[in-house]
Amino acid sequence: MAGAEGQWLEDLDLIRDAARQAGEIAHGYFGQSPEVWWKNEGSSPVSAADFAANDILQSLLLTARSNYGWLSEETDDDDARLSLDTLFVVDPIDGTRAFINGEKTWCVSVAVVHHGRPVAGVLVAPALGEEFFAVKGGQAIRNGAPISVTKDDHDKLVIAADENLVKKFDLPFRSHVERHRHIPSLAYRLAMVADGRLDGTVVKRNSHDWDLAAADLILECAGGRLTDLAGSPLTYNRRQVRHEMLVAGAEHALERLLPQIQRFPAA
């Protein structure tokens, strides 16, 4: 196992360096009105910055680990990844809409996934001057310092969740919930749970592996969890890369949130 842990530390160094370079490239487009295209039948924007960041990540990472698979939001999927034990799971810019609109809350998300779970993960948010990373079995780090989820020593739960969803919570529980303003990057929102700015969050259905994998590990190493509605951890590198509704949080928040969400799984 020591050998594997050493490999994941080497992989962490690799993906941190690559994510930083991709972040610098993307940041060069930030606020410069990059060219934008629309995908998914016109529902999702993608910018020249997304493609430029994706290109440098793919070049750096697959040159260094040619035996790893690849799954990225901005690369056509290849079923060959399904037969591989280890792969990179990448979102070149998580929060593209925010990026295009000149909002700072976007990040480069890169994870190494092994046997369906992340073992190294990094989020680089250049416009915010923030970097999060973690390796399996280690601590979650933000800008060089360890982070952790909130402790169960306060009455109010600060969560990020859709307003219509919160309205469906039991009234007594709802009175103990404080909704945070919208956070445009899902990966960054999960990082905010990891560093204690949020107690928890509810993730709408149709998030993807690349939105989640790096932040999932960072949250886990900070003492929290990202789960499905049964309370189970996620499995990555499946044929289906989309997920149903999810809940993330510190343990005390999950204990309170999951029963609320489980009452209406079709929400």
Side-chain angles (χ1 to χ4, degrees), residues 255-267:
E255 288 174 4
R256 298 166 70 182
L257 274 172
L258 273 170
Q260 293 292 322
I261 307 299
Q262 287 164 345
R263 292 169 47 245
F264 40 88

Side-chain angles (χ1 to χ4, degrees), residues 230-241:
S232 301
L234 308 189
T235 299
Y236 299 96
N237 197 27
R238 310 163 304 159
R239 185 175 299 278
Q240 174 58 267
V241 299

Side-chain angles (χ1 to χ4, degrees), residues 3-206:
E5 290 176 347
Q7 177 64 55
W8 308 144
L9 284 169
E10 291 178 10
D11 283 356
L12 177 63
D13 287 341
L14 172 67
I15 65 174
R16 283 174 67 193
D17 179 64
R20 287 168 177 169
Q21 291 190 50
E24 288 180 13
I25 288 171
H27 199 243
Y29 288 84
F30 186 55
Q32 303 302 312
S33 300
E35 190 170 1
V36 174
W37 299 267
W38 290 86
K39 58 184 182 178
N40 300 329
E41 299 179 347
S43 64
S44 301
V46 59
S47 74
D50 292 82
F51 290 132
N54 190 70
D55 288 348
I56 188 65
L57 288 169
Q58 191 167 13
S59 175
L60 290 172
L61 296 177
L62 292 183
T63 297
R65 300 284 190 272
S66 59
N67 59 322
Y68 282 15
W70 180 260
L71 176 63
S72 168
E73 181 174 13
E74 308 308 346
T75 306
D76 290 339
D77 196 6
D78 184 348
D79 283 351
R81 66 178 171 81
L82 298 171
S83 64
L84 299 173
D85 291 338
T86 311
L87 77 161
F88 297 110
V89 178
V90 170
D91 193 343
I93 298 179
D94 186 77
T96 297
R97 288 179 185 273
F99 180 93
I100 293 167
N101 292 333
E103 301 172 45
K104 294 182 177 181
T105 308
W106 56 272
C107 61
V108 179
S109 174
V110 184
V112 176
V113 167
H114 180 68
H115 288 165
R117 288 293 300 164
V119 291
V122 60
L123 303 176
V124 174
L128 295 171
E130 294 182 356
E131 177 182 287
F132 300 80
F133 68 84
V135 67
K136 182 177 174 61
Q139 291 181 302
I141 304 294
R142 173 184 177 270
N143 287 4
I147 56 174
S148 67
V149 296
T150 58
K151 308 303 180 188
D152 187 10
D153 59 1
H154 55 288
D155 183 54
K156 280 278 188 186
L157 274 186
V158 180
I159 67 170
D162 183 83
E163 184 176 9
N164 291 327
L165 186 71
V166 173
K167 286 178 179 177
K168 297 179 182 179
F169 291 164
D170 288 337
L171 188 57
F173 176 73
R174 203 189 322 159
S175 67
H176 295 280
V177 168
E178 178 183 327
R179 275 190 69 241
H180 194 280
R181 61 175 176 77
H182 174 65
I183 301 153
S185 163
L186 173 52
Y188 189 81
R189 189 199 324 165
L190 294 171
M192 289 177 65
V193 180
D195 71 11
R197 282 177 284 175
L198 297 173
D199 294 303
T201 187
V202 181
V203 181
K204 291 181 179 179
R205 59 167 47 90
N206 290 327

